[in-house]
Amino acid sequence: MELVRATEAAAIRAVPFIGRGDKNAADGAAVDAMRKFLGTVNFDGVIVIGEGEKDHAPMLFNGEHVGNGRGPACDIAVDPIDGTSLTAAGRQNALSVIAVSDRGTMLDASSVFYMDKIVTGSAGRGVVSLDQSVGDNIREYSRATGKPVGEMVIAVLDRPRHAGLIDEIRSAGAGTRLMLDGDVAGGINAARYETRIDMCLGVGGSPEGITTACALKALGGFMQGRLAPRDDAEREKAQAAGLDVDALLEIEDMVKGDNTFFVATGVTDGGLVEGVRRVGPMIRTESIVLRSRSGTQRRVIAEHLAEKWL
């Protein structure tokens, strides 16, 4: 619940910037609110997945210590707004996100910006793989789940780099759900049984990949990733950091152990949670809280007295 307070605060503070076209202002407001609330949490946290280096503020930067220094030592992944462009444009699926695991368990992939990913529900384990073709993955997953290929929906970031991937999905007979941004929500929805998304594919941010892995541990879903350097310089930077850019990463390679928490609060409405809204004198937020050790998924709907946030 302490973590939820931080994502709720970040989401609420981002609201005045929804649809205003200034993603940096929205991100700055969310960062300031999240940092303030994280400072009250009973843990000794180090940000492994943040937004960059300290001198590029506003951001919660890699290596920054958060929490009050008491309690368990933790690795932290933060994204005060996953979907700053969505927020600035007033579009759906913007989230405020925090993921936590034991100290030393979260892969630091910050030297490589992108990661190729595949995410499904638990039925994908031992069935789909990044080493298989897109068509084979769709057909094999169809057989594993008993869902006809023609009814399957594959989430993909709507980027020029994915033009060929989108063609392969449609050629296999499945449909696409093109996401403007926010592939954390896309990956989580692919692993949840009550959504229409069956699989999430494509190249997105490596920080988002690690964050998604924390959530997948609690959902029991399947995920693989492979780092995708943009050029030789980034490949060399990854190798200097001890990363194997050709390795096929399983969830356990991204986040070790069975003690992860994932928390997300909606900034704008989306398929995972509803966005912040004003209801009379109250501000209503919806959050999702996932814990791997217990395998629980909780939804937290909170009402905050608006005058306290003026």
Side-chain angles (χ1 to χ4, degrees):
M1 291 303 298
E2 291 179 295
L3 295 174
V4 171
R5 290 174 65 234
T7 56
E8 287 173 346
I12 290 170
R13 288 303 188 198
V15 167
F17 303 96
I18 294 175
R20 298 303 179 93
D22 190 344
K23 67 178 184 179
N24 291 330
D27 199 37
V31 166
D32 288 345
M34 182 174 283
R35 178 180 279 118
K36 178 180 177 181
F37 276 83
L38 280 177
T40 69
V41 178
N42 289 313
F43 64 11
D44 176 15
V46 173
I47 295 178
V48 176
I49 304 295
E51 295 190 277
E53 302 302 325
K54 182 177 182 179
D55 57 354
H56 295 158
M59 58 184 53
L60 282 151
F61 61 91
N62 297 347
E64 181 175 350
H65 283 258
V66 294
N68 61 17
R70 299 188 295 271
C74 300
D75 286 347
I76 314 293
V78 296
D79 198 342
I81 303 180
D82 178 37
T84 53
S85 295
L86 299 176
T87 303
R91 296 191 174 107
Q92 292 189 332
N93 291 315
L95 302 170
S96 179
V97 174
I98 296 173
V100 178
S101 65
D102 293 332
R103 178 68 54 80
T105 59
M106 195 177 290
L107 178 67
D108 180 359
S110 58
S111 57
V112 181
F113 191 78
Y114 286 118
M115 176 187 288
D116 194 11
K117 313 164 197 173
I118 182 169
V119 184
T120 70
S122 58
R125 197 172 292 113
V127 172
V128 302
S129 171
L130 284 175
D131 286 336
Q132 296 179 171
S133 71
V134 171
D136 283 346
N137 278 328
I138 290 171
R139 287 183 287 272
E140 292 297 325
Y141 196 59
S142 170
R143 279 191 281 270
T145 59
K147 186 172 186 178
V149 169
E151 296 179 12
M152 291 181 65
V153 177
I154 315 300
V156 183
L157 281 172
D158 190 6
R159 299 288 189 272
R161 65 176 177 267
H162 287 151
L165 173 60
I166 292 167
D167 287 343
E168 288 184 78
I169 292 168
R170 293 171 177 170
S171 295
T176 55
R177 176 72 56 84
L178 299 182
M179 304 177 293
L180 292 172
D181 210 340
D183 59 336
V184 172
I188 293 172
N189 281 327
R192 294 171 62 229
Y193 67 89
E194 69 260 66
T195 71
R196 291 204 61 225
I197 295 175
D198 301 286
M199 185 181 297
C200 187
L201 285 175
V203 176
S206 57
E208 288 83 357
I210 306 303
T211 303
T212 302
C214 289
L216 268 285
K217 283 214 161 193
L219 293 170
F222 170 81
M223 179 179 180
Q224 283 182 343
R226 182 179 282 122
L227 296 173
R230 290 171 288 185
D231 51 35
D232 289 341
E234 196 170 61
R235 179 177 289 270
E236 291 173 4
K237 187 177 178 182
Q239 291 171 343
L243 297 173
D244 183 354
V245 297
D246 297 315
L248 190 63
L249 301 173
E250 306 287 348
I251 289 180
E252 190 66 18
D253 298 314
M254 296 183 238
V255 187
K256 299 183 185 302
D258 188 31
N259 190 29
T260 65
F261 291 84
F262 173 90
V263 179
T265 299
V267 178
T268 59
D269 286 343
L272 185 62
V273 286
E274 290 187 349
V276 180
R277 60 190 61 203
R278 181 75 176 259
V279 184
M282 311 301 290
I283 297 171
R284 181 176 295 170
T285 58
E286 183 179 5
S287 306
I288 186 170
V289 182
L290 308 174
R291 185 186 182 197
S292 66
R293 181 162 290 173
S294 58
T296 52
Q297 177 183 160
R298 292 181 172 89
R299 289 191 176 272
V300 179
I301 297 176
E303 292 190 347
H304 315 257
L305 190 60
E307 65 185 44
K308 300 289 187 179
W309 291 87
L310 298 178

